[in-house]
Every structure is written in C-alpha cells, then in structure tokens.
Amino acid sequence: MRNPFRSSRSPYERRRRTTIEGEPLENVGGRPFVRIVIPAIIGIIILLFVVSASVKIVDAGHRGVLLRFGAVDTGIALDEGIHFVTPFRDSVIQMEVRTQKTVENAASASKDLQDVTTQVALNYRINPDNAQVVYQQIGFDYGNRVIAPAIQESVKQVTARFNAEELITKRETVKNQIEEQIKARLAPYNILVDTISITEFQFSEQFRKAVEAKVEAQQRALQAQNDLRRIEIEAQQNEAKAIGEQKANIARAEGVRQSNVLQAEGESQAITIIDEQLRSSPTYLEWLKTQRWDGKLPLVTGGDGGTGGTTPFIQIPTGGTEGGGNVSVTTSR
C-alpha cells in the first residue's frame, strides 16, 4: 500500500522547482559555489578597508598630526607624502603650515589721548616642526584664540607711546615696535610672524578737523613768510640798483671832472710851451703863421685912426700877459 504522505515526485523532480507561472527556478545544486565566492569577496573588501586605513597621505603645505586612540603623539609631525599607520588605532589630522594672512582693526588711544583705530595686516605661519603641539594646545581656531588678542594688545601698548602726530610721522618706527610685540607674544604658541603692515590709521572727526586747521594755518604762515622774503629780496634788489646807479653817476662825474682837469692841464702846458717858444725863438711866430694860414689874405682891411691901420692875422694865446692875454700877429697894409 502506498504511503499517502510520500510524494509521488521523483527526487529529481523534487529538486526542480517552478514559479507560479510554471517557470523552473535556479537549481539549488550551485550553492557550494556561492558559499566560496561570497566569503572571498567579503575578505577582499575587508583587506582593502584595512589597507586604506593604514595608508595616510599628507597634502602639500601641511603637516600630519598623528593620533593614537585620540591622543596626540607630540614627538613627531608627519611630512608631506604617504605614511603607513596602524589601522583602527592611529589617525592623522592635517595642519596647514603655509603663510596665512589676517587683518585686524585695533581701537586704542595715543599718548595725547586721541582715539585712533589701527588696521594691521599680519602674515604668519605655524612652525612646521611643532604643528602637533599647536593642535594639542590650541586646535584649529588659533586665529581667534591667540593671534587676534596678540594684535589687539600689541597695538594698544605701542600706540600709547606716541602722540597722534608721531603715529603718522614715525610710521615705520611704530610698525617695527608692533611687529616685535606680536612676535614675542606668538612665539610661545609656535606661530611664526613673517611680516606686518599698518594699512591705515583712523582718527576722530574732531582731531581730523584740528589737523586740517593746523595745516591751513601753517600754510598761511609759510605763504606770509614767502611774501615777506620776496619783499625783502625786491627791496634789496632796488637798493642795490640805486646804489649801482649812484656809483655809476659818481663814476661818470668823476670821469668828466678828470677829463676837464686833464684838458685844463693840457691847455696850461700848451700855453707854457708856446710862451717859452716865443721867448726863446722869434721865428716860432712865422712857423705858426704858416700852420694857421689857409693861403687866403684877409678881406677886412683898415685902421683905427692914425695908427697906420693893421689887419689882424692870427691870435696866439700867451701866458705872459695878465688875465691870460693874447699875442696879435698882424700884417701891414
């Protein structure tokens, strides 16, 4: 008698399963293959995960901070490039060590109690050899925690040493002192200062108006000094011109006087010579006649009464007659 609970299907048919629509299902005989492949894939994934967890890359311009179970290894800072660490125990945090810039506005008071706002631009960088110490002591927010307060305090301390005018006229000195103060404050935190720049000094409106008024007064005083100097120079020029003209007139008068004196001396000497010649040589008169006569006889003849009438021929000055008289040379009618 056949067991009613026993399936009438053959073992092969029982192994073949079909869907509701009558489609055969996959043969369960492939299970051994699946049991091999799936663990292998899982193993490869785990291996890749472990390898990726043990390889760390530090980017350019950064240093790697090594953490072991969250604790900072302060003895080493990982350089740029690939590094192998213990997976699941070690991790790497990157700290930028390139030059960075920050700009701060610091309000302070000058030596003469003028309100001044100083804008400072600071270029700084983390000490590459102690990046792990910076991360351990300060973290990533070192700009707000350390740098900004250092700038504020340094600017206030230095600007209090100078009055408002000196902050402008001694700008380089002020900048150098602020830079020294900031370097001294940031050095314990392993932050290096490259350069600082004072980009602007801002004073109160009242102070700016007072400075403008002072500058205008100085300009007016300078203009007055220039005008006075110009007037003095013009007066000196006029005085020099008058003195020069006076000296020129005196020189001309002296020249005329000397010329007259020389002329009188010459005439006196000439008269003396002629007188001596007349006294010593009677024939000198004949020579004078020939020198003075133009070869024409006088047209006016006649006499003055019964003197026998003579016609003047030439007049010769002589020094022997009183009052500088002349010697008349005549011809007979």
Side-chain angles (χ1 to χ4, degrees), residues 138 146-158 161 177-191 193:
I138 307 173
V146 175
I147 296 177
I151 293 175
Q152 294 284 340
E153 186 62 26
S154 299
V155 170
K156 291 178 180 179
Q157 184 175 355
V158 173
R161 303 173 184 171
Q177 293 190 14
I178 292 176
E179 184 174 358
E180 291 175 0
Q181 290 289 329
I182 294 177
K183 285 182 177 179
R185 291 178 179 274
L186 295 182
Y189 298 100
N190 294 291
I191 297 177
V193 174

Side-chain angles (χ1 to χ4, degrees), residues 38-312:
I38 292 178
I41 294 175
I42 294 174
I44 293 174
I45 294 174
I46 294 174
L47 178 62
L48 293 176
F49 180 78
V50 171
V51 171
S52 62
S54 63
V55 176
K56 300 296 181 182
I57 298 177
V58 178
D59 298 333
H62 293 73
R63 289 295 183 271
V65 178
L66 182 62
L67 303 179
R68 292 178 177 174
F69 295 115
V72 176
D73 184 357
T74 58
I76 187 173
L78 303 180
D79 294 331
E80 304 169 359
I82 298 177
H83 298 274
F84 294 93
V85 298
T86 303
F88 309 114
R89 186 197 70 174
D90 299 341
S91 60
V92 176
I93 302 296
Q94 298 197 44
M95 295 284 290
E96 186 174 4
V97 295
R98 290 176 291 198
T99 299
Q100 303 179 64
K101 177 184 177 182
T102 183
V103 179
E104 290 289 333
N105 292 320
S108 60
S110 61
K111 187 177 181 179
D112 53 354
L113 302 181
Q114 295 293 334
D115 294 333
V116 56
T117 300
T118 308
Q119 187 175 79
V120 177
L122 173 66
N123 290 334
Y124 67 94
R125 55 191 173 89
I126 295 176
N127 187 345
D129 298 330
N130 296 322
Q132 70 279 10
V133 178
V134 176
Y135 178 78
Q136 182 189 45
Q137 295 180 352
I138 307 173
F140 288 106
D141 197 21
Y142 47 82
N144 293 326
R145 295 182 179 181
V146 175
I147 296 177
I151 293 175
Q152 294 284 340
E153 186 62 26
S154 299
V155 170
K156 291 178 180 179
Q157 184 175 355
V158 173
T159 53
R161 303 173 184 171
F162 302 87
N163 58 40
E165 183 177 355
E166 290 175 340
L167 290 176
I168 299 175
T169 57
K170 298 181 180 180
R171 188 186 188 100
E172 188 66 22
T173 302
V174 175
K175 182 187 80 70
N176 292 337
Q177 293 190 14
I178 292 176
E179 184 174 358
E180 291 175 0
Q181 290 289 329
I182 294 177
K183 285 182 177 179
R185 291 178 179 274
L186 295 182
Y189 298 100
N190 294 291
I191 297 177
L192 306 178
V193 174
D194 290 336
T195 57
I196 74 163
S197 301
I198 298 177
T199 57
E200 188 178 4
F201 278 125
Q202 291 183 353
F203 299 93
S204 63
E205 185 66 23
Q206 293 81 2
F207 178 76
R208 286 199 295 268
K209 291 181 179 179
V211 171
E212 291 175 358
K214 180 180 179 180
V215 171
E216 291 177 358
Q218 290 176 346
Q219 290 177 347
R220 288 193 297 268
L222 182 61
Q223 182 65 33
Q225 292 177 358
N226 292 335
D227 293 340
L228 179 60
R229 182 61 179 167
R230 178 178 55 81
I231 293 172
E232 291 177 352
I233 292 175
E234 291 178 354
Q236 292 174 359
Q237 291 176 345
N238 294 332
E239 181 181 359
K241 183 178 180 182
I243 294 174
E245 292 178 353
Q246 181 181 5
K247 290 182 178 179
N249 293 332
I250 293 174
R252 285 195 294 269
E254 182 68 19
V256 172
R257 186 186 69 80
Q258 291 180 0
S259 176
N260 293 335
V261 169
L262 293 175
Q263 184 178 1
E265 291 177 352
E267 291 178 353
S268 175
Q269 292 177 1
I271 291 172
T272 302
I273 294 173
I274 292 173
D275 184 63
E276 291 177 355
Q277 289 295 330
L278 288 174
R279 294 178 186 276
S280 63
S281 179
T283 59
Y284 183 63
L285 287 175
E286 297 298 328
W287 182 80
L288 287 177
K289 291 180 182 179
T290 60
Q291 293 297 320
R292 297 291 183 90
W293 186 39
D294 57 0
K296 298 180 181 179
L297 292 175
L299 298 179
V300 179
T301 58
D304 49 353
T307 60
T310 60
T311 300

